[in-house]
Amino acid sequence: MLPEIDLTDAASLPEGALKTFPTPDDGPQVLLTRQHGQVHAFAPNCLHYGAPLEKGKVVNGKLICPWHHACFKVKDGHLCEPPALDDLPTYAVREAEGRILVQVPASPPASTDKPEATPTAEVGGVPPAPAPAPADTRTFAIVGGGAAGEFAAQTLRREGFAGRVVLVSADEHAPYDRTKLSKAYLAGKAKPEALPLRAAEFYAQQRIERLQNTRVIGLDLEKREVQLEGQPPLHYDQLLLAPGSTPNQLPKLPGHDLPGVLLLRTLSDANALLAATKDARQVVIIGSSFIGMEAASSLIAVGRAVTVIAQEKVPFERVLGPEIGQLFQQLHESKGVRFEAEAEVSELLNEQGYVAGVRLKSGKIIPANAVVLGVGVRPATEFLKEAFTLEDDGGLAVNANLQAAPGVYTAGDVARFPLAATGQPTRIEHWRVAQQHGQVAARNMLGQQETYAAAPFFWTQQYGKSLRYAGHAERWDKIIYHGDVAKQDFLAFFVQAGRIVAVAGMGRDTDMLYITELLSLGRMSTPAELRPGMSWAERL
Ligand SMILES: Cc1cc2nc3c(=O)[nH]c(=O)nc-3n(C[C@H](O)[C@H](O)[C@H](O)COP(=O)(O)OP(=O)(O)OC[C@H]3O[C@@H](n4cnc5c(N)ncnc54)[C@H](O)[C@@H]3O)c2cc1C
Ligand code: FES
């Protein structure tokens, strides 16, 4: 039995408190909470990027992280929602004679409190138990080793599936954190070791077979076979399609395929971009998408001169509205990024076989040693054209259980699913949504009938400033603001047909945590009920 540490006075932990305590001799910190009179003890940092969980909240028996809303069951630390991947370590704790006593292992899983760049693998949680012996002869195939694919594979094991799990991925790398590519990785703050979602041993221990660098080129629904490029077909009993997105190019423009014109989707893309911009003085980014703007923020941070060329008047205007767009534009300009707004590119200039600049339709020329395209993505569903009737944008329609056909499920960027809040078929390109889809689809592959009911959530980080966004608004009638957008401290409520359908927030992590829950539960306030400074906790 581990020695008990006398952590604190029981009175210092009132009902509902969530607080981190030090241990003697600079030992590991311990997070305590008291819920319904009972004390629970945990590792203090989130397993995703190390957020201090004492700044999170306990809602309906779940401990929710303040940054990207991973959540863990209070009773046992069990992971209930991504983007964390593992259970939160818990410690034995008891109260005696007015003191709180905790047993903390000598070397508990490392926990960190770094800015939002800490990799999952470094933080160290409690991964699923080793996969059970292969008592089941079924093969569950997953196409796509990204956010949705990885989470689906681990969910199959968490749910006790003992058959074969095959993860097929066109990427040459094992599943990694794509969201870091445009942020910490491009800014030189995250090393390559910080990118994999899982250590290699994880897949062996979980008996997840990875077919890396393997492209799926077709699907035979009748034979239940996935056709692989240059390899025999793979039979499946249940199939998950999670191939994500392909970045758009500028194919109609002269010079679109010159060396030095770069995309940013994969780790290989990011490595090529790092190599091409290493000695580049001037980088032009075409498109003020999230990826383009995050790349701008990272490249400015490493001393490049960056110009963003955008069709919009201000960045993110169509997603976040002009006020928040302006905030981001000013933030970028204050760091030295130049903007060519409402501009269109007519040509990429060629100098000795390498890109040398961009000509705008206005005739203006912007010199460049490298050009990054951030002009949107489309579902990577070319290989599904014969098996399914795809949507106009290449998406694949699924029902509320994320099912596309008998035995076939779809998750992540490609899935057009009925959004719980509106019932409308919707396609969403967010990391956490893809993981949640992976979780729901995996459970349904095992015979459950789960629907995806959460409010979509995403974040972006530029110059260390994080914007969080919950819900979904492709259009809106008005935006109601609480706080001050210019001071980077606000909530923005997107109102459509008299309902709040989405909320964006900066500097309001606690509010955003509660609001995301309310949107997920379908209990969001009406516009008329909004009051500055209102208590969101009370509504839950
Ligand atoms: C640079 C960058 C930064 C981002 N930052 C954020 C962020 O901060 N917050 C946020 O919410 N979202 C962010 N996103 C979006 C988020 O990463 C995606 O929404 C998410 O990765 C989608 O997950 P997915 O599993 O559907 O697809 P992906 O993660 O793209 O994975 C798809 C997988 O399928 C494989 N594949 C594709 N076609 C085939 C085929 N024919 N055969 C076999 N395998 C195939 C691919 O190689 C890949 O492994 C970012 C995206 C990028 C590119
Ligand atoms: S740091 Fe907790 S969810 Fe990201």
Side-chain angles (χ1 to χ4, degrees):
M1 189 169 129
L2 292 168
E4 274 186 330
I5 298 172
D6 182 345
L7 205 61
T8 185
D9 182 358
S12 64
L13 194 74
E15 177 61 29
L18 185 62
K19 202 169 164 198
T20 298
F21 291 85
T23 53
D25 304 324
D26 271 346
Q29 294 189 321
V30 176
L31 176 71
L32 294 183
T33 186
R34 187 188 295 278
Q35 302 291 325
H36 307 295
Q38 199 180 337
V39 181
H40 304 265
F42 308 95
N45 292 90
C46 180
L47 306 175
H48 180 225
Y49 289 174
L53 287 170
E54 70 172 349
K55 294 195 177 146
K57 292 288 166 201
V58 174
V59 179
N60 297 333
K62 299 176 300 185
L63 170 55
I64 306 180
C65 173
W67 287 355
H68 317 110
H69 305 179
C71 80
F72 310 91
K73 282 188 188 154
V74 168
K75 68 170 182 182
D76 55 9
H78 186 86
L79 174 74
C80 26
E81 294 289 349
L85 302 178
D86 292 320
D87 295 342
L88 186 64
T90 55
Y91 307 133
V93 59
R94 71 185 177 98
E95 283 183 86
E97 295 168 17
R99 308 291 303 171
I100 297 178
L101 308 164
V102 184
Q103 290 174 36
V104 186
S107 13
S111 59
T112 52
D113 186 1
K114 294 184 201 164
E116 294 182 49
T118 312
T120 307
E122 264 181 26
V123 181
V126 184
D136 190 328
T137 55
R138 291 177 299 168
T139 297
F140 283 13
I142 299 172
V143 178
E150 191 280 341
F151 213 85
Q154 73 152 7
T155 303
L156 289 173
R157 290 303 186 216
R158 272 181 173 271
E159 298 285 326
F161 178 58
R164 204 175 158 211
V165 177
V166 187
L167 189 60
V168 189
S169 178
D171 204 298
E172 61 190 291
H173 299 98
Y176 50 85
D177 186 343
R178 196 178 302 286
T179 70
K180 281 194 185 138
L181 298 181
S182 48
K183 305 179 187 72
Y185 191 58
L186 206 52
K189 290 184 192 152
K191 298 211 164 72
E193 310 85 84
L195 297 176
L197 293 174
R198 297 290 193 179
E201 308 82 68
F202 171 84
Y203 300 99
Q205 189 211 32
Q206 294 297 318
R207 287 195 298 104
I208 295 169
E209 297 170 42
R210 280 191 290 122
L211 296 183
Q212 225 51 64
N213 227 342
T214 305
R215 185 165 289 280
V216 175
I217 51 172
L219 172 61
D220 189 326
L221 289 169
E222 265 182 32
K223 286 194 194 157
R224 294 202 166 208
E225 275 180 3
V226 167
Q227 284 135 16
L228 307 177
E229 193 172 49
Q231 292 186 42
L234 172 70
H235 168 81
Y236 64 83
D237 294 285
Q238 296 280 320
L239 174 68
L240 176 64
L241 297 167
S245 300
T246 308
N248 291 330
Q249 310 235 13
L250 298 170
K252 287 185 192 135
L253 297 185
H256 72 92
D257 52 357
L258 279 170
V261 179
L262 303 147
L263 300 166
L264 182 50
R265 181 76 196 176
T266 64
L267 175 52
S268 303
D269 291 341
N271 287 335
L273 213 160
L274 280 171
T277 53
K278 190 164 168 274
D279 300 316
R281 276 169 296 112
Q282 308 190 78
V283 181
V284 165
I285 295 176
I286 301 180
S288 58
S289 61
F290 284 102
I291 289 168
M293 298 294 281
E294 288 180 358
S297 132
S298 300
L299 290 168
I300 276 278
V302 291
R304 306 290 164 265
V306 179
T307 304
V308 174
I309 300 173
Q311 286 180 323
E312 294 172 301
K313 203 167 172 189
V314 293
F316 311 133
E317 194 175 353
R318 274 173 295 198
V319 192
L320 299 172
E323 288 84 355
I324 300 176
Q326 214 142 28
L327 161 70
F328 275 103
Q329 178 160 345
Q330 280 162 4
L331 190 58
H332 278 264
E333 282 172 341
S334 72
K335 304 287 178 184
V337 175
R338 283 186 292 250
F339 282 86
E340 292 290 339
E342 296 180 283
E344 267 193 63
V345 176
S346 62
E347 182 184 1
L348 298 171
L349 303 174
N350 179 347
E351 203 173 288
Q352 295 175 346
Y354 202 87
V355 74
V358 175
R359 189 195 304 276
L360 302 182
K361 280 204 172 142
S362 64
K364 186 169 178 179
I365 289 178
I366 302 155
N369 310 107
V371 171
V372 184
L373 301 184
V375 289
V377 296
R378 63 185 186 284
T381 47
E382 277 293 311
F383 69 102
L384 296 172
K385 270 185 171 162
E386 288 185 14
F388 293 100
T389 307
L390 298 174
E391 305 280 307
D392 288 347
D393 68 353
L396 182 52
V398 288
N399 65 16
N401 302 124
L402 305 181
Q403 191 170 22
V408 182
Y409 294 83
T410 302
D413 283 7
V414 300
R416 185 170 291 280
F417 63 99
L419 191 67
T422 59
Q424 288 304 309
T426 309
R427 215 169 51 69
I428 291 191
E429 295 160 2
H430 304 342
W431 179 261
R432 183 173 183 262
V433 172
Q435 291 178 310
Q436 288 172 316
H437 274 184
Q439 179 165 261
V440 169
R443 288 179 179 154
N444 292 343
M445 289 162 86
L446 290 165
Q448 299 182 29
Q449 289 288 313
E450 204 169 291
T451 55
Y452 173 74
F457 170 85
F458 81 86
W459 72 97
T460 180
Q461 201 188 24
Q462 296 163 40
Y463 308 106
K465 298 281 170 203
S466 289
L467 177 112
R468 322 220 185 267
Y469 180 104
H472 185 68
E474 280 170 27
R475 61 194 76 82
W476 53 84
D477 305 322
K478 64 175 173 179
I479 306 175
I480 301 170
Y481 296 95
H482 285 177
D484 190 338
V485 175
K487 289 190 177 145
Q488 302 167 8
D489 175 26
F490 65 88
L491 291 171
F493 301 90
F494 295 77
V495 179
Q496 194 189 354
R499 290 176 55 218
I500 295 170
V501 291
V503 184
M506 199 181 249
R508 301 290 185 104
D509 287 354
T510 305
D511 290 341
M512 284 304 296
L513 184 158
Y514 287 128
I515 286 168
T516 308
E517 280 297 292
L518 286 166
L519 284 165
S520 293
L521 294 168
R523 294 198 346 231
M524 186 58 194
S525 309
T526 63
E529 288 168 338
L530 291 181
R531 299 278 177 276
M534 65 196 281
S535 164
W536 295 101
E538 275 172 17
R539 302 197 64 89
L540 275 163

